[in-house]
Amino acid sequence: MSNLKRPLTPTETTDKVAKKTRISKTFAPNKIATAEAAAAVDANLPLAQLNDVMEKTVKKPQKGDSVVYWMRLADLRIHDNRALSRASEYATKQDIPLIALFVLSPQDYIAHDRSARRVDFTLRNLVILKESLSKLKIPLHVTSHSPRRNIPSFVLGWCETYGARALFANIEYEVDELRRDIQTCKLAIPKGIQVNLFHNKCVIEPGVLFTKQGKAYAVYSPYQRNWIATLNANLPYYLEECPMPTGNAGSVRSSEKFASLFDSPIPETVEGFELEDGDRRKMCEVHPAGEEVAGKLLDVFLHTKSRSSQLGAVNPLADGSQKANAQTRILNYGKDRDRVDKDTTSRLSVYLSSGVLSVRECVRATMRMQKSKKVDGGRDTGIGRWVQEIAWRDFYTNIVASFPRVSMGRPYLEKFASVVWENHQAPQESGTGRRGQDSDDAEVVKRWKDGKTGVPIVDATMRCINEMGWVHNRVRMITAMYLTKDLMIDWRVGERYFMQKLIDGDLASNNGGWQWSASTGVDPCPYFRIFNPHTQSGKADPTGEFIRHWVPELRPLRGPDLHNPSESAANKLGYPLPMVIHSEARERALRRYGNPGEE
């Protein structure tokens, strides 16, 4: 737990939030840095800079009139929240109120390709959090601010408005957010505001685990071995269960300074990120908000059997789950985790990426289930396999912090920056192609996005994403490799589309998955290993239920024909023919990856 201290200075006061926040129509950030710019950032890590500037923070601030907890996009919970818990402890010690602030940043959502679904999920959780915190007499004020470059001064100004001399927040590890916090720290010092930052997203935070050569890990397996050994060597620290915040005194509600914060509204939408009514109702059903829901989902994963009736866009807590002591989803996770024809996975990615559920609680729950004093991270049990997936999550976050180039639109393996792609959407100055909007998509990209490629497992995956905002990770990998290797479309096109559609979009995990599939990232699938989508389909969807659900025109088919329909069957059923022949596409990919820059 790093006690990083960061100051903030807003120049604006806390205007009431309108029902709809507004964004600048002209904001168009460059999403692919030059190789030189990316190398410069890698050479001077923003996280290290933040640690350095935190050493200069105000050591003994004045008492002030309040303590501010700055809630972030991946912080959406009250339980086991380090920054919130520490802020409450400090406020109690100082005998002053704790107040909470959430800043909607539309420009950041544009820059990071946040989906409207993710923004809506955030707003739905904020409504619940405001009510829950209000019961503790802690006001949560939600406001929107643009331009994003002024957020540090805005937040610090807000602190000054409410007489706060101590600010608490959890760390975000993307380049833009780290730079924001660095600036906040620098601006806070002359204002006498102490900033306290904490690691809260990971089990083991970035900057802890290194190779024997003292370098950041770029390969998962040795990272995971060190991860589980380090975790089990210091469980009280890494799996600390942070105390719930203590409520404020009742007088805060009648305070002239703080009372109005309890009544400030949560915006219903953010302009540019609105959902159609039907889509919003679907997201509310399929991904209900709140810590209580997340806790129930974890319990269902740990203690019930999988069921094929949960394949579609349905409430994950719908009636019908069957309790069991054996054959539960987590106990069978080792052998069933890659199957998409039943709900074999936890469905918790939505809640982990938004911080509605503590990742530490997930690991603690496995220990309670096994009645063990150590964390099982082995390959021989379902629990161990699931814990390894949690370690993957930490690994990719560590990559973003240690090799920030990957969050700047650059491949980790720069040698593949010059691979020749087909029609894609990269800026001209990157040397990788043309700039394009969705309306400029080549026909192959449109068909991939719409789930009309003629490859059933790919089409089922894309239709699932489009309707549900979520899909099993195994088929994310299959469809990502199909786009990058069979269709030879720039991986950044797919990475962007996933972020714009998924409700669980997380830069580190999404980028890591896409660069793995495209063979451009850390510990990637070797470029010469190219999934045969039809073979993979049979492994991932052996009963065919996933395909038949999402591609209803193929419901009459069974067996191999379902995974790779013949031309006559496709024509008869009105299903599109494949855009490429896999064997030919494979040879093209091998040629272009083997000789980057050549056709």
Side-chain angles (χ1 to χ4, degrees), residues 8 61 66 88 91 114 127 135 182 187 203 234 240 269 291 311 363 407 411 423 429 517 546 556:
L8 314 144
S66 67
S88 177
R114 293 290 180 202
V127 170
K135 291 177 181 178
I182 292 167
L187 292 174
V203 176
N234 199 349
E240 171 198 19
T269 61
E291 294 181 72
L311 264 183
V363 178
S407 66
N423 302 303
E429 60 269 20
S517 298
F546 178 74

Side-chain angles (χ1 to χ4, degrees), residues 9 69 73 80-81 105 117 128 146 151 172 187 278 313 349 383 453 457 532 560 570:
T9 61
Y69 161 58
L73 201 63
D80 200 16
N81 181 327
S105 178
R117 290 162 169 172
I128 296 171
S146 293
I151 286 178
E172 297 174 296
L187 292 174
S349 59
I383 288 177
T453 66
I457 193 67
N532 181 319

Side-chain angles (χ1 to χ4, degrees), residues 1-5 47 50-51 54-55 77 80-90 168-171 173 195-209 230-231 234-243 360 364 394:
M1 174 179 51
S2 173
N3 190 354
L4 301 168
K5 305 185 177 178
L47 182 58
L50 180 60
N51 281 316
M54 287 309 306
E55 293 298 320
R77 68 176 183 272
D80 200 16
N81 181 327
R82 275 193 174 134
L84 176 58
S85 182
R86 298 298 191 270
S88 177
E89 291 175 5
Y90 185 85
F168 290 74
N170 290 314
I171 301 171
Y173 300 100
V195 180
N196 302 271
L197 296 178
F198 297 86
H199 295 287
N200 194 58
K201 178 179 179 179
C202 300
V203 176
I204 299 181
E205 65 266 20
V208 170
L209 304 178
T230 301
L231 172 58
N234 199 349
L235 291 172
Y237 174 77
Y238 290 114
L239 296 185
E240 171 198 19
E241 186 170 3
C242 301
R360 294 185 295 275
R364 292 193 299 261
D394 279 13

Side-chain angles (χ1 to χ4, degrees), residues 573-591:
L573 297 171
Y575 183 67
L577 297 176
M579 295 184 288
V580 295
I581 298 173
H582 173 68
S583 59
E584 295 177 0
R586 183 178 187 278
E587 291 304 314
R588 177 178 64 178
L590 290 174
R591 183 174 66 252

Side-chain angles (χ1 to χ4, degrees), residues 109-310:
Y109 305 159
I110 293 171
H112 295 325
D113 295 316
R114 293 290 180 202
S115 71
R117 290 162 169 172
R118 174 72 185 273
V119 173
D120 176 74
F121 186 70
T122 298
L123 296 174
R124 287 193 279 128
N125 277 283
L126 287 173
V127 170
I128 296 171
L129 286 166
K130 187 173 180 71
E131 182 178 352
S132 298
L133 287 168
S134 182
K135 291 177 181 178
L136 296 172
K137 305 178 184 66
I138 300 172
L140 169 61
H141 180 68
V142 178
T143 188
S144 180
H145 187 79
S146 293
R148 62 175 181 161
R149 65 176 180 274
N150 291 341
I151 286 178
S153 59
F154 171 76
V155 174
L156 288 172
W158 199 83
C159 290
E160 290 181 311
T161 297
Y162 291 95
R165 292 292 175 265
L167 176 68
F168 290 74
N170 290 314
I171 301 171
E172 297 174 296
Y173 300 100
E174 295 83 1
V175 171
D176 291 346
E177 284 67 23
L178 290 171
R179 287 172 170 169
R180 174 202 62 201
D181 287 353
I182 292 167
Q183 180 67 8
T184 300
C185 291
K186 292 178 179 178
L187 292 174
I189 295 171
K191 293 179 177 293
I193 298 175
Q194 181 188 71
V195 180
N196 302 271
L197 296 178
F198 297 86
H199 295 287
N200 194 58
K201 178 179 179 179
C202 300
V203 176
I204 299 181
E205 65 266 20
V208 170
L209 304 178
F210 295 95
T211 67
K212 293 180 180 179
Q213 292 73 38
K215 297 181 179 180
Y217 282 98
V219 178
Y220 171 75
S221 294
Y223 172 88
Q224 190 273 335
R225 289 192 292 270
N226 196 350
W227 184 89
I228 193 67
T230 301
L231 172 58
N232 278 319
N234 199 349
L235 291 172
Y237 174 77
Y238 290 114
L239 296 185
E240 171 198 19
E241 186 170 3
C242 301
M244 279 281 289
T246 303
N248 287 327
S251 59
V252 71
R253 287 190 179 276
S254 57
S255 164
E256 182 178 348
K257 178 172 285 190
F258 305 115
S260 63
L261 295 177
F262 287 96
D263 300 323
S264 62
I266 307 293
E268 295 177 2
T269 61
V270 174
E271 185 181 5
F273 296 89
E274 302 92 343
L275 287 180
E276 294 181 359
D277 290 344
D279 196 18
R280 190 175 194 277
R281 286 193 297 270
K282 179 69 70 176
M283 292 303 105
C284 289
E285 177 187 4
V286 179
H287 308 292
E291 294 181 72
E292 183 178 355
V293 168
K296 289 179 179 178
L297 267 178
L298 175 60
D299 184 71
V300 165
F301 177 61
L302 298 178
H303 301 296
T304 70
K305 296 180 179 181
S306 64
R307 45 185 175 153
S308 58
S309 63
Q310 291 296 94

